[in-house]
Amino acid sequence: MDLKAVRTFVAVADTGQFQEASAVLGITQQAVSKRIAALEKELGVRLFTRTARGARPTIDGQAFLPHARELLLAEERAAASVRPGRRALRVDVVGARLGPAGLLRDFHRAHPETALDVVTLFDADTAVAAVRAGTIDATFRAVGTRLPEGLRAARVFDEPVQLLTGPRHPLAGARSVTPAQLAGHRIWMPGLVAGTEWAAYYAALAAEFGLTIDSVGPDFGSEALLDTVADSASLATLVAEGIRLVWPQGHDLRRIPLVDPTPVYPHSLVWDAANTHPGLAALRAQLAERPLARPSSRAWTPAWAVRGAFPARRP
């Protein structure tokens, strides 16, 4: 059904005049007549009776009028649901306990009026495809420089990587260690999945510093991993500095900084340049004002990671 014709019908019913309806709608009286005639033909009934005083809805017109108003209201609700700023900003993060989720929490505190829908997609390829398809507005990912046409990426957060050991591990008493010192130690990371960006990151780290990173074995989650590391004198794992981990007091796990260089996980924001959601603009502005934190020692990240951060904002 032609909603322009329905809107014209309601305007004539409300004003009682074809001429007045044409003024309200900003079209000619002839166009009003044509739209009403087309609608009557589609419905197979007469909608108005013309009188000396104007136009009066017929019995069929009176029956149709409330439904016509509902159609126009439904049209308005449908348009409002996707109007920029009316729907929630949908952003993907790698995990709810990792650094990018913290960036979104900071954004929510600064912009409580912006509704947020936080999702966790599986890997960078899936997330980038979702940005391209428009099913999410942005994603925080470690990505290379090759993105589909129209997408943009900016490095927003370098998250240092730490060593996590149990109390009996040979490196448990160290205040810090270098990546080179990890050579010969077994680093167990059962959560690495081939083909993902985080697996690519740790593969590059292992190749750069001669590390042995073992991903064999079922991944029963972080709690099971912490239990195993706490009980082992030889196993260690790598964790992001900002990840929120809780373990029983008896585990006595040690988080040890890596230095000279400090491996950092390069989180970038990826978005579609054509996306006009005002929440996305506000998120990008807040991230642009946030300085890209640098570790105290020199940093290492794979050569494929996006280099460019948001440009400094002019005063």
Side-chain angles (χ1 to χ4, degrees):
M1 186 171 293
D2 184 356
L3 290 180
K4 289 183 180 179
V6 174
R7 185 173 291 103
T8 303
F9 163 75
V10 172
V12 174
D14 287 345
T15 63
Q17 297 278 347
F18 276 58
Q19 184 176 357
E20 289 294 326
S22 69
V24 170
L25 298 172
I27 58 178
T28 66
Q29 186 173 342
Q30 183 181 17
V32 171
S33 298
K34 285 184 176 180
R35 288 183 183 181
I36 296 299
L39 185 60
E40 289 178 329
K41 182 178 181 180
E42 180 179 359
L43 296 174
V45 297
R46 287 184 62 194
L47 295 173
F48 290 104
T49 298
R50 290 180 180 265
T51 68
R53 301 180 62 180
R56 185 178 63 190
T58 63
I59 294 177
D60 289 321
Q62 293 175 34
F64 181 61
L65 183 58
H67 300 291
R69 295 191 193 280
E70 284 295 322
L71 283 173
L72 298 180
L73 184 59
E75 179 195 28
E76 173 57 27
R77 286 197 296 260
S81 70
V82 294
R83 192 169 293 139
R86 295 295 296 272
R87 65 169 179 80
L89 180 69
R90 199 167 198 224
V91 183
D92 163 64
V93 295
V94 179
R97 294 187 295 178
L98 295 175
L103 295 180
L104 275 186
R105 286 193 293 271
D106 291 342
F107 173 74
H108 180 63
R109 283 191 288 267
H111 299 272
E113 74 286 354
T114 300
L116 272 179
D117 183 8
V118 182
V119 300
T120 51
L121 301 179
F122 180 64
D123 61 359
D125 289 342
T126 301
V128 168
V131 173
R132 189 180 188 187
T135 55
I136 62 174
D137 294 295
T139 179
F140 287 94
R141 292 285 168 170
V143 296
T145 55
R146 292 184 179 180
L147 288 171
E149 184 177 354
L151 300 195
R152 301 288 183 269
R155 187 100 149 254
V156 295
F157 182 42
D158 282 354
E159 189 166 18
V161 173
Q162 295 181 330
L163 181 70
L164 184 70
T165 76
R168 296 186 296 120
H169 192 277
L171 297 175
R175 297 182 62 182
S176 64
V177 297
T178 67
Q181 288 178 284
L182 298 182
H185 293 279
R186 185 183 171 204
I187 300 172
W188 191 43
M189 302 187 72
L192 296 184
V193 179
T196 61
E197 71 273 20
W198 60 88
Y201 172 85
Y202 285 106
L205 179 65
E208 180 75 16
F209 299 102
L211 309 186
T212 301
I213 297 181
D214 182 3
S215 61
V216 176
D219 179 15
F220 291 114
S222 60
E223 289 78 9
L225 175 62
L226 298 181
D227 290 344
T228 303
V229 170
D231 290 338
S232 176
S234 60
L235 283 182
T237 192
L238 297 173
V239 295
E241 180 184 66
I243 190 172
R244 297 184 175 189
L245 297 173
V246 179
W247 56 79
Q249 186 174 0
H251 277 18
D252 194 20
L253 291 168
R254 317 292 175 83
R255 298 180 71 145
I256 304 168
L258 297 179
V259 298
D260 299 324
T262 296
V264 296
Y265 195 87
H267 297 286
S268 292
L269 182 74
V270 180
W271 73 96
D272 190 328
N275 190 320
T276 59
H277 195 299
L280 176 60
L283 174 62
R284 289 173 53 200
Q286 179 163 319
L287 293 172
E289 292 173 351
R290 181 182 183 277
L292 188 63
R294 303 292 184 184
S296 55
S297 70
R298 62 190 176 92
W300 176 90
T301 196
W304 49 258
V306 166
R307 297 291 180 185
F310 282 112
R313 299 190 75 189
R314 297 180 180 178

